[in-house]
Amino acid sequence: MRRPAFYSRSPRTLPPAADDAADRADASASAEAHDAGRAAPPLVPAQPARTGWQPGRRSFALLIVLCTALVTGTVLWAPRPGGKALAQKDIDAAVLRTLQTNTLPSPAAKAADIIRPSVVRVVSYGEEKNTPEARIQKRGRNMAKGKSPEAPNDGGPSGEVERGVGTGVVIVDKGVILTNLHVVAGADKIKVTFYDGLEAVATITGVQPENDLAVLQAQTVPDDLIPATMRSTADLRSGDQVAAVGFPFGIGPSVSAGVVSGLKRSFRSPEGKQELGNLIQFDAAANPGNSGGPLINMDGEVLGIVTAILNPTQQRTFIGIGFAVPIENAASAAGSPPF
């Protein structure tokens, strides 16, 4: 007896030639059985012929999704009517037009914007000195205020006399300030003015006489006080751009820009009492009142503390040579570890 076939779930079908051969074999078996007087076995119903691949529902849905994505992608990537692909010369022309129509800030201006919130005005009060430097500072302050150069000093707190004006830079947000020792030495009272206008009394918490440095602690500080970022001078070279920020003759904060003129310089005070070594020489303008202020690079990072200017006369005005104590020395005065 011929067994019925088990049909595979595969959509594939036998070739037409194979189907014809099977039909002929079934007909021959039926004829032989009839001749022998025996009942012919029941025939298995023939399956309808399948013409080609018939996908299932899932396959058909996937096909629809793929077709839709293909059409959508074609529309998205198709160039817009009238559009023009940008060439490199078009991009260069747009950049050049922007540079010509927009004024970009100078490197010194950007550096000054970074450091300015960390710079403070330092004023010392006490008995008025009669030294050449003190007289020059007094005349400069009076002229800046529109007064006669020889006008008497204004009274400070409790009737004290404003003896000197300098600059300081905040290095810790709790109100720790670096300045020059000669700005605050012997003062009866020290007052600092922060960037936002807040005035506070400050006290000396540390000194480093060999480098003319002093550390101040402000008794009151702004809530959003921003300390300066310090930068090692190990890779500093002659010709590097720098800027000095401070209060020359009490005017400021003022900014002057220049370059590093030399390294490891020495300077002896006009009175000959002290010699400073390992100094940064720079040509950014500095005058009395810049003392204690930061010398910065074009990233607004503090490289040193402005401490002196060289002048062969007694006028104490800038002739192009200034000196700054490297920040490594200044940071050690405040108890900070070296770089």
Side-chain angles (χ1 to χ4, degrees):
M1 177 183 292
R2 187 173 182 274
R3 296 180 179 179
F6 291 96
Y7 292 95
S8 170
R9 297 180 180 179
S10 171
R12 292 176 297 174
T13 59
L14 293 175
D19 291 342
D20 294 343
D23 292 341
R24 287 195 298 271
D26 291 339
S28 175
S30 178
E32 291 176 358
H34 183 271
D35 293 342
R38 292 180 287 125
L43 297 177
V44 178
Q47 296 293 321
R50 302 187 181 187
T51 57
W53 178 55
Q54 296 181 356
R57 292 182 178 179
R58 294 182 180 178
S59 300
F60 185 73
L62 179 60
L63 181 61
I64 293 297
V65 171
L66 292 176
C67 291
T68 303
L70 180 61
V71 172
T72 304
T74 303
V75 173
L76 291 176
W77 286 100
R80 296 182 178 179
K84 179 183 177 182
L86 289 176
Q88 185 61 44
K89 63 178 182 180
D90 299 322
I91 298 174
D92 294 341
V95 173
L96 180 60
R97 185 164 53 253
T98 301
L99 293 176
Q100 291 175 342
T101 56
N102 294 276
T103 302
L104 300 179
S106 69
K110 293 188 291 185
D113 287 340
I114 295 172
I115 193 62
R116 195 173 283 115
S118 306
V119 178
V120 300
R121 186 174 186 261
V122 181
V123 181
S124 61
Y125 295 94
E127 183 181 353
E128 186 175 3
K129 288 186 177 181
N130 195 30
T131 63
E133 184 174 359
R135 289 194 296 269
I136 292 172
Q137 288 188 346
K138 174 184 174 181
R139 288 196 293 268
R141 290 194 302 271
N142 286 339
M143 294 177 67
K145 297 175 181 178
K147 298 181 179 181
S148 168
E150 303 302 329
N153 252 331
D154 293 332
S158 303
E160 295 171 336
V161 176
E162 183 180 298
R163 194 175 69 181
V165 177
T167 308
V169 58
V170 178
I171 60 171
V172 180
D173 59 3
K174 294 181 180 180
V176 178
I177 300 168
L178 277 177
T179 189
N180 278 149
L181 179 58
H182 74 260
V183 173
V184 296
D188 296 328
K189 184 169 290 186
I190 302 168
K191 186 172 67 175
V192 297
T193 304
F194 292 96
Y195 176 67
D196 64 353
L198 176 67
E199 294 184 351
V201 174
T203 56
I204 300 175
T205 59
V207 295
Q208 195 177 77
E210 64 273 20
N211 288 310
D212 190 24
L213 293 169
V215 183
L216 307 180
Q217 174 64 62
Q219 296 183 5
T220 307
V221 298
D223 294 334
D224 55 350
L225 183 59
I226 301 175
T229 300
M230 295 178 284
R231 172 65 182 269
S232 171
T233 61
D235 57 352
L236 191 64
R237 299 182 300 173
S238 296
D240 285 346
Q241 291 182 299
V242 291
V245 183
F247 292 84
F249 299 110
I251 305 172
S254 300
V255 181
S256 59
V259 299
V260 173
S261 303
L263 301 170
K264 299 185 183 301
R265 303 297 197 218
S266 298
F267 170 79
R268 182 178 292 277
S269 64
E271 297 82 8
K273 296 179 180 179
Q274 184 179 11
E275 182 174 352
L276 304 175
N278 190 34
L279 299 175
I280 303 170
Q281 179 188 340
F282 62 91
D283 67 353
N287 284 285
N290 275 107
S291 295
L295 183 72
I296 61 174
N297 60 15
M298 294 300 100
D299 293 323
E301 300 167 326
V302 181
L303 299 170
I305 300 298
V306 177
T307 190
I309 55 177
L310 180 63
N311 199 312
T313 70
Q314 293 296 319
Q315 297 302 314
R316 299 292 293 162
T317 55
F318 187 67
I319 62 171
I321 299 178
F323 298 103
V325 178
I327 194 60
E328 287 87 347
N329 297 16
S332 66
S336 298
F339 292 95

